[in-house]
């Protein structure tokens, strides 16, 4: 999470959406950098609303705008799947070695997900609490020029984010029936992405 107090902007770090690269590029420019532990770096909107928002409202009387990036759901799951294929993951319970992408996505759709497919939800990450704050600026991961342009304009600084936390390059093929089940079962994920710019 990055906080730009003067600009009244908070960038939430939805996992696997490239925000680590922006965090590195803008670390020196931000007023608050939350990079660890992961539960705070990747604080969902309800956690921001409960713990961070009251600080800005009660101490300074300001309401921050919230920015987030979301990824197309199949691509997002593919990034998690590949990320958990890194060599050092071999033998760990969350590794996806020896598991097909179809099996990974099928496991993700289960009510009780096995560890290797327990990667959260972009929609749940950005679901506000009752009467809580909502995302002001929601960008598609694919719209990197738009993300950069928005941040450069808002922060009045040039940004050249490098790629970080890059998943191994693996071919991903999702069978049509699994893709259709995912679209039905996780419709909120697809709807969220469709509403981003």
């Amino acid at each position: 999470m990055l906080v730009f107090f003067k600009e009244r902007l908070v960038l939430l770090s939805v996992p696997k959406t490239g925000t680590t690269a922006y965090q590195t590029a803008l670390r020196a420019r931000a007023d608050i950098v939350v990079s660890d532990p992961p539960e705070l770096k990747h604080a969902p909107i309800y956690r921001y609303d409960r713990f961070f928002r009251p600080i800005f409202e009660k101490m300074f009387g300001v309401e921050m705008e919230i920015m987030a990036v979301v990824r197309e759901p199949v691509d997002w799951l593919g990034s998690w799947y590949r990320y958990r294929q890194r060599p050092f993951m071999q033998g760990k319970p969350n590794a996806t070695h020896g598991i097909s992408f179809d099996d990974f996505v099928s496991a993700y759709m289960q009510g009780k997900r096995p560890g290797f497919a327990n990667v959260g939800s972009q929609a749940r990450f950005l679901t506000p609490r009752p009467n809580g704050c909502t995302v002001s600026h929601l960008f598609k991961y694919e719209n990197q020029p738009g993300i950069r342009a928005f941040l450069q304009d808002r922060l009045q600084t040039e940004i050249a984010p490098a790629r970080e936390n890059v998943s191994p390059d693996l071919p991903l093929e999702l069978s049509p029936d699994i893709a259709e089940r995912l679209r039905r079962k996780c419709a909120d994920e697809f709807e969220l992405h469709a509403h981003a710019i």
Side-chain angles (χ1 to χ4, degrees):
M1 180 192 309
L2 294 177
V3 175
F4 305 94
F5 185 74
K6 186 178 77 172
E7 292 82 8
R8 305 293 191 258
L9 183 68
V10 174
L11 172 58
L12 295 182
S13 293
V14 180
K16 304 307 296 164
T17 61
T19 49
T20 298
Y22 284 99
Q23 191 167 70
T24 299
L26 292 167
R27 170 178 292 278
R29 177 67 179 72
D31 297 300
I32 300 172
V33 178
V34 183
S35 57
D36 231 358
E39 294 80 8
L40 291 181
K41 173 186 177 181
H42 297 295
I45 196 162
Y46 69 83
R47 194 169 294 144
Y48 166 82
D49 191 57
R50 185 169 178 204
F51 298 107
F52 293 92
R53 181 184 184 193
I55 295 170
F56 301 120
E57 285 189 347
K58 291 178 180 168
M59 290 184 68
F60 306 105
V62 299
E63 180 77 31
M64 306 291 278
E65 292 180 21
I66 298 174
M67 176 187 175
V69 178
V70 292
R71 201 163 177 164
E72 191 281 327
V74 175
D75 186 45
W76 183 74
L77 288 170
S79 183
W80 273 114
Y81 172 77
R82 292 189 320 268
Y83 189 68
R84 291 183 168 188
Q85 292 257 335
R86 293 167 297 163
F88 86 87
M89 292 289 294
Q90 188 79 45
K92 296 186 177 175
N94 290 348
T96 54
H97 298 98
I99 298 167
S100 72
F101 188 45
D102 271 352
D103 289 343
F104 174 79
V105 173
S106 293
Y108 177 77
M109 290 188 282
Q110 293 177 11
K112 186 168 169 44
R113 297 174 182 150
F116 69 84
N118 192 10
V119 296
S121 158
Q122 294 180 104
R124 192 165 51 243
F125 188 101
L126 295 173
T127 298
R129 298 189 316 159
N131 300 316
C133 58
T134 59
V135 174
S136 317
H137 309 280
L138 184 62
F139 288 89
K140 288 181 166 102
Y141 169 82
E142 310 89 89
N143 185 12
Q144 292 298 318
I147 296 167
R148 276 194 305 276
F150 173 79
L151 286 169
Q152 287 179 162
D153 181 61
R154 186 71 175 255
L155 305 176
Q156 292 298 292
T157 189
E158 291 294 314
I159 306 170
R163 293 185 73 203
E164 293 193 35
N165 275 348
V166 179
S167 302
D169 192 19
L170 298 169
L172 295 177
E173 292 183 25
L174 195 59
S175 61
D177 60 318
I178 301 291
E180 180 56 35
R181 276 181 50 216
L182 178 68
R183 189 167 283 282
R184 279 196 323 269
K185 188 160 178 85
C186 301
D188 56 341
E189 305 287 338
F190 289 90
E191 187 176 331
L192 176 71
H193 182 260
H195 283 97
I197 58 172

